[in-house]
C-alpha cells in the first residue's frame, strides 16, 4: 500500500471588508495564523468597496505572514471598478491571487475562482461560468486539491440567510463542477449569516469561512486539514 501523505493544515477566512480608515487591522491575526497553518487562504471581499487604499491597508498587514497567502477576489473587491489596481497591490505584497489558476503547496493544489450567483437545486438559473473552474481542475494532477471560492457551491452553507437572497449567494452549478473531480475540501465566504459546514452531492466537504461565521476553532479563521 502506498504511504498516506502527511496531513496538511491550512487556515481560511473570507469577508474581511478592510476599510481605508484602518479601523480593522488583521496584523496580529495573520501573525497568529502563521504559527498554526502552512498556508493562509482568503475567500474574497477582502476590501470593503474595492478601493486601492483599502487594498494597501490589507497589504501592509499581510506582510507579517510567514506562510504563503492564496486567495480570490469577491464582489465587493469589484465594487469601485478598480479591481485591477486592488489585484496589483495585493500581488505586490506577496499574495497569490487566483482566477482560474492553481497554486501548489506541499503537494496540495489550491484552485481558485470567484464563482458566481444563480441559486440552488431546482431553482437554479441556466448554466454559465463553470468552465473557468472546470478548466482549472482539469489541469490539476495532485492527489489533494482544495477549491477556493467566494460564492457558495451548496445550499447547506448559506442556510441561516434570508431565503429571498439565496440566489445571490452562490450556485449549485459550482458544486456540480466540483463533483466531477477529486476534491479534498472547498472553502468560500460571502454568506455572513450562513452555516460553517456542508457537503456537495458527492460528499466533498464545504466550509463557509466568512469572518462573521462561528467556527470550531473559536477564532475568526478556520483551520482545515486535508
Amino acid at each position: 500500500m502506498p504511504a498516506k501523505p502527511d496531513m496538511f493544515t491550512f487556515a481560511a477566512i473570507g469577508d474581511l471588508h478592510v476599510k481605508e480608515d484602518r479601523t480593522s487591522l488583521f496584523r496580529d491575526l495573520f501573525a497568529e495564523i502563521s504559527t498554526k497553518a502552512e498556508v493562509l487562504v482568503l475567500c474574497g471581499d477582502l476590501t470593503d468597496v474595492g478601493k486601492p487604499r483599502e487594498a494597501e491597508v490589507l497589504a501592509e498587514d499581510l506582510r507579517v505572514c510567514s506562510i504563503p497567502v492564496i486567495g480570490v477576489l469577491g464582489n465587493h473587491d469589484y465594487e469601485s471598478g478598480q479591481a485591477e489596481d486592488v489585484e496589483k497591490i495585493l500581488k505586490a505584497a506577496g499574495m497569490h491571487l487566483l482566477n482560474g489558476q492553481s497554486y501548489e503547496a506541499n503537494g496540495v493544489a489550491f484552485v481558485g475562482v470567484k464563482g458566481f450567483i444563480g441559486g440552488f437545486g431546482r431553482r437554479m438559473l441556466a448554466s454559465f461560468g463553470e468552465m473557468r473552474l472546470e478548466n482549472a481542475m482539469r489541469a490539476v494532477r495532485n492527489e489533494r486539491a482544495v477549491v477556493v471560492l467566494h460564492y457558495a457551491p451548496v445550499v447547506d452553507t448559506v442556510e441561516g440567510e434570508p431565503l429571498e437572497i439565496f440566489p445571490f449567494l452562490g450556485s449549485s452549478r459550482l458544486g456540480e463542477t466540483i463533483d466531477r473531480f477529486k476534491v479534498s475540501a472547498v472553502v468560500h465566504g460571502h454568506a455572513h449569516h450562513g452555516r460553517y459546514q456542508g457537503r456537495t452531492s458527492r460528499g466533498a466537504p464545504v466550509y463557509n469561512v466568512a469572518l462573521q461565521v462561528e467556527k470550531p476553532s473559536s477564532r475568526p479563521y478556520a483551520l482545515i486539514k486535508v
Side-chain angles (χ1 to χ4, degrees), residues 187-203:
V187 289
H188 73 86
H190 192 53
H192 294 191
H193 303 289
R195 289 199 298 131
Y196 172 65
Q197 191 167 359
R199 288 189 178 274
T200 65
S201 295
R202 293 193 176 179

Side-chain angles (χ1 to χ4, degrees), residues 4-216:
K4 186 176 180 180
D6 293 336
M7 294 299 287
F8 180 95
T9 302
F10 68 95
I13 186 170
D15 301 81
L16 301 177
H17 291 278
V18 171
K19 296 177 173 61
E20 58 187 327
D21 61 7
R22 299 187 64 84
T23 53
S24 296
L25 298 178
F26 292 95
R27 189 170 303 165
D28 290 345
L29 191 68
F30 293 155
E32 175 186 322
I33 288 170
S34 293
T35 69
K36 296 181 179 295
E38 296 173 70
V39 163
L40 168 59
V41 176
L42 300 180
C43 292
D45 281 0
L46 311 180
T47 61
D48 196 43
V49 294
K51 292 182 178 179
R53 178 54 192 153
E54 295 171 343
E56 289 170 358
V57 172
L58 176 57
E60 290 173 24
D61 287 352
L62 283 174
R63 294 184 196 282
V64 307
C65 277
S66 58
I67 57 176
V69 181
I70 303 162
V72 297
L73 297 182
N75 56 300
H76 278 262
D77 301 313
Y78 287 85
E79 190 171 327
S80 296
Q82 301 179 81
E84 286 188 10
D85 292 333
V86 168
E87 186 172 341
K88 286 177 184 176
I89 291 164
L90 295 177
K91 284 183 174 180
M95 183 176 176
H96 302 278
L97 271 172
L98 306 177
N99 187 19
Q101 304 87 24
S102 65
Y103 176 89
E104 183 177 328
N106 291 353
V108 179
F110 290 83
V111 180
V113 297
K114 177 166 68 74
F116 45 82
I117 62 174
F120 304 91
R122 290 178 299 170
R123 299 183 180 181
M124 277 188 297
L125 297 177
S127 173
F128 68 97
E130 301 96 301
M131 288 307 299
R132 187 185 297 272
L133 175 58
E134 181 156 350
N135 289 341
M137 289 301 304
R138 288 190 184 283
V140 170
R141 297 292 180 265
N142 304 66
E143 283 295 312
R144 290 175 288 179
V146 175
V147 174
V148 181
L149 304 167
H150 179 58
Y151 290 106
V154 295
V155 73
D156 300 4
T157 50
V158 305
E159 290 177 352
E161 296 277 6
L163 285 172
E164 294 80 4
I165 70 168
F166 272 28
F168 304 100
L169 297 175
S171 174
S172 294
R173 300 286 182 195
L174 291 163
E176 291 173 357
T177 302
I178 289 164
D179 276 341
R180 296 188 191 113
F181 302 92
K182 182 180 178 182
V183 172
S184 300
V186 184
V187 289
H188 73 86
H190 192 53
H192 294 191
H193 303 289
R195 289 199 298 131
Y196 172 65
Q197 191 167 359
R199 288 189 178 274
T200 65
S201 295
R202 293 193 176 179
V206 179
Y207 303 94
N208 177 359
V209 298
L211 172 69
Q212 301 79 5
V213 171
E214 185 176 349
K215 304 170 184 68

